[in-house]
Amino acid sequence: MSFNNIYYGKKVLVTGHTGFKGSWLAIWLRELGAEVYGYALEPSGDMDNFVTCDLPNKMNHFIGDVRDGKALKKYFQDVQPDFAFHLAAQPLVLLSYQDPASTFETNMMGVVNFFDAVRCTPSVKAAVNVTTDKCYDNKEWVWGYRENDPMGGKDPYSASKGCSELITSSYLESFFKVDGTCNVASGRAGNVIGGGDWALDRIIPDYFRAVQQGIKLEVRNPYATRPWQHVLEPLSGYLNLASELYINGKSFSGGWNFGPEDTSNYSVKNLIDKMLTIDSKGGYIIPQNVVKLHEAILLKLDISKAVNYLKWKPVLDFDQTVEYTLNGYLADMDESVDVYTSRVEQILDYTAKGIKKGIVWAL
């Protein structure tokens, strides 16, 4: 078992377990022997990872809204978890322009309610708030952002995630350093891709929807550079971080970046072109003279802190990341495939690759 076998037999509560990253985390925790509890809204569609993997019948599943602080606190107190991961969020930049008020309410007050529930539940020994690389005040410079760089955000989504980080820091300094019952951190990841993500206005789901419809994808920002990473990369970071919080305490509190190697940032066009070399069914066009809402063109993370102190590092190179992602979507679209089993197989293969590289959490 990985992560020092720390999750075996433990109660782990995941908010946002019906979402893309949350459902993958629930699968991995279940395979690590944890008793997994989830608190989230209903999944958004029948193709969502949570649904296709039949997770309602494989874990403790509760429908709730993180904006309802009283209900969330009651769920924590009923479950009495050992670990808590906060992944419930409004995760889409374009939707944040359409509904900024709901985005701020969910991504800010959801975090407040999460940490209030944690501090009222003494059983919780480690809690991780999952945010994003977009929490940083992005100057679009060529070097990666470090954990002590300023928070910011021009669009409502990015600003809400910068605020989420400030809220995490405030609770850490005001409460968790004082009472000492729970160790708290945040995990900041790049552009996460992988099978089971069918959200609107994301490049990979949009690509496969275009494939299904037999049309070419319109790519609005082909030369935007992103720290692409398969979903298992940041999840390994969050699990590693929470295990260190549980075992070694407050020295692992605070913010942590989990992204690809510095040389592994690729453009949107690079990503799609690589997919087409593996599976040629799709295609794309680059429309001209399209009015675009603001989205960052260049964004990189510095992962030195995680590499040096957590002994975490990425397992997959860019080609493997694309291959894992493509295979995940092919499993989604093949009715003969047991999707949950295919996800577990990817987790096992990913862990085996980590062991070969001598990565500490995988051993």
Side-chain angles (χ1 to χ4, degrees), residues 138-149:
N138 187 9
K139 306 295 187 184
E140 305 210 20
W141 52 38
V142 296
W143 51 86
Y145 290 91
R146 294 181 177 179
E147 286 83 353
N148 57 359
D149 281 324

Side-chain angles (χ1 to χ4, degrees), residues 151-162:
M151 299 292 104
K154 294 181 177 65
D155 60 87
Y157 169 73
S158 301
S160 74
K161 286 302 191 176

Side-chain angles (χ1 to χ4, degrees), residues 63-97:
I63 296 298
D65 193 324
V66 292
R67 294 174 294 183
D68 186 343
K70 188 175 294 186
L72 182 60
K73 189 177 296 183
K74 182 179 185 303
Y75 190 66
F76 264 81
Q77 293 174 344
D78 288 345
V79 172
Q80 293 291 308
D82 302 287
F83 293 87
F85 293 89
H86 182 57
L87 288 89
Q90 192 298 92
L92 302 174
V93 173
L94 294 185
L95 182 57
S96 78
Y97 279 107

Side-chain angles (χ1 to χ4, degrees), residues 209-220:
R209 272 189 286 268
V211 169
Q212 288 177 319
Q213 295 167 21
I215 62 176
K216 290 186 177 181
L217 173 67
E218 288 192 3
V219 180
R220 63 179 183 268

Side-chain angles (χ1 to χ4, degrees), residues 47 52 195-196 198 204-205 207-213 275 279 281 325-337 339 342-343:
M47 289 294 289
T52 59
W198 290 94
I204 302 295
Y207 172 88
F208 281 101
R209 272 189 286 268
V211 169
Q212 288 177 319
Q213 295 167 21
M275 292 179 64
D279 185 286
K281 293 187 182 70
T325 300
L326 183 65
N327 288 338
Y329 279 94
L330 292 177
D332 288 347
M333 296 184 290
D334 186 342
E335 294 183 358
S336 68
V337 172
V339 180
S342 74
R343 303 296 194 240

Side-chain angles (χ1 to χ4, degrees), residues 153-200:
K154 294 181 177 65
D155 60 87
Y157 169 73
S158 301
S160 74
K161 286 302 191 176
C163 291
S164 172
E165 287 285 353
L166 294 174
I167 292 166
T168 303
S169 179
S170 175
Y171 267 83
L172 173 60
E173 295 294 330
S174 300
F175 304 108
F176 295 109
K177 280 188 176 179
V178 176
D179 64 27
T181 59
C182 180
N183 299 311
V184 168
S186 66
R188 306 160 187 173
N191 279 52
V192 179
I193 57 179
D197 178 13
W198 290 94
L200 295 174

Side-chain angles (χ1 to χ4, degrees), residues 5-318:
N5 207 25
I6 197 67
Y7 293 104
Y8 187 82
K10 299 291 198 311
K11 290 183 178 181
V12 184
L13 195 155
V14 179
T15 69
H17 69 290
T18 58
F20 169 50
K21 289 169 73 175
S23 58
W24 270 94
L25 180 59
I27 293 168
W28 202 341
L29 284 165
R30 186 174 184 269
E31 294 303 309
L32 289 170
E35 190 175 342
V36 188
Y37 293 80
Y39 181 102
L41 299 175
E42 292 277 5
S44 59
D46 291 341
M47 289 294 289
D48 284 7
N49 195 52
F50 178 78
V51 177
T52 59
C53 290
D54 194 31
L55 286 181
N57 295 313
K58 292 181 169 68
M59 62 177 289
N60 301 285
H61 167 52
F62 185 88
I63 296 298
D65 193 324
V66 292
R67 294 174 294 183
D68 186 343
K70 188 175 294 186
L72 182 60
K73 189 177 296 183
K74 182 179 185 303
Y75 190 66
F76 264 81
Q77 293 174 344
D78 288 345
V79 172
Q80 293 291 308
D82 302 287
F83 293 87
F85 293 89
H86 182 57
L87 288 89
Q90 192 298 92
L92 302 174
V93 173
L94 294 185
L95 182 57
S96 78
Y97 279 107
Q98 298 164 16
D99 192 354
S102 179
T103 298
F104 280 111
E105 186 181 7
T106 300
N107 292 353
M108 293 170 59
M109 288 310 300
V111 178
V112 171
N113 293 335
F114 172 77
F115 282 123
D116 264 350
V118 167
R119 73 189 188 95
C120 292
T121 312
S123 65
V124 185
K125 303 306 179 191
V128 175
N129 177 30
V130 172
T131 65
T132 172
D133 56 352
K134 296 176 182 64
C135 67
Y136 292 106
D137 183 13
N138 187 9
K139 306 295 187 184
E140 305 210 20
W141 52 38
V142 296
W143 51 86
Y145 290 91
R146 294 181 177 179
E147 286 83 353
N148 57 359
D149 281 324
M151 299 292 104
K154 294 181 177 65
D155 60 87
Y157 169 73
S158 301
S160 74
K161 286 302 191 176
C163 291
S164 172
E165 287 285 353
L166 294 174
I167 292 166
T168 303
S169 179
S170 175
Y171 267 83
L172 173 60
E173 295 294 330
S174 300
F175 304 108
F176 295 109
K177 280 188 176 179
V178 176
D179 64 27
T181 59
C182 180
N183 299 311
V184 168
S186 66
R188 306 160 187 173
N191 279 52
V192 179
I193 57 179
D197 178 13
W198 290 94
L200 295 174
D201 299 317
R202 281 184 177 161
I203 189 64
I204 302 295
D206 286 350
Y207 172 88
F208 281 101
R209 272 189 286 268
V211 169
Q212 288 177 319
Q213 295 167 21
I215 62 176
K216 290 186 177 181
L217 173 67
E218 288 192 3
V219 180
R220 63 179 183 268
N221 287 313
Y223 302 107
T225 299
R226 294 287 184 267
W228 307 106
Q229 54 190 154
H230 188 267
V231 62
L232 294 178
E233 301 276 37
L235 293 188
S236 70
Y238 309 152
L239 289 166
N240 189 5
L241 174 58
S243 70
E244 292 291 353
L245 288 169
Y246 189 94
I247 297 168
N248 294 313
K250 297 196 183 306
S251 61
F252 289 89
S253 296
W256 297 81
N257 289 339
F258 300 103
E261 301 285 358
D262 186 59
T263 57
S264 294
N265 275 36
Y266 292 83
S267 72
V268 172
K269 186 176 184 301
N270 293 151
L271 178 67
I272 299 175
D273 285 342
K274 173 55 67 174
M275 292 179 64
L276 288 170
T277 66
I278 302 172
D279 185 286
S280 60
K281 293 187 182 70
Y284 65 94
I285 58 173
I286 301 173
Q288 302 300 313
N289 302 318
V290 175
V291 176
K292 300 174 184 176
L293 298 172
H294 177 270
E295 286 190 80
I297 297 299
L298 179 63
L299 187 56
K300 295 174 69 175
L301 291 176
D302 185 318
I303 59 172
S304 301
K305 181 181 175 184
V307 170
N308 286 285
Y309 293 105
L310 283 176
K311 306 304 177 186
W312 173 93
K313 63 181 179 180
V315 171
L316 307 175
D317 61 25
F318 181 67

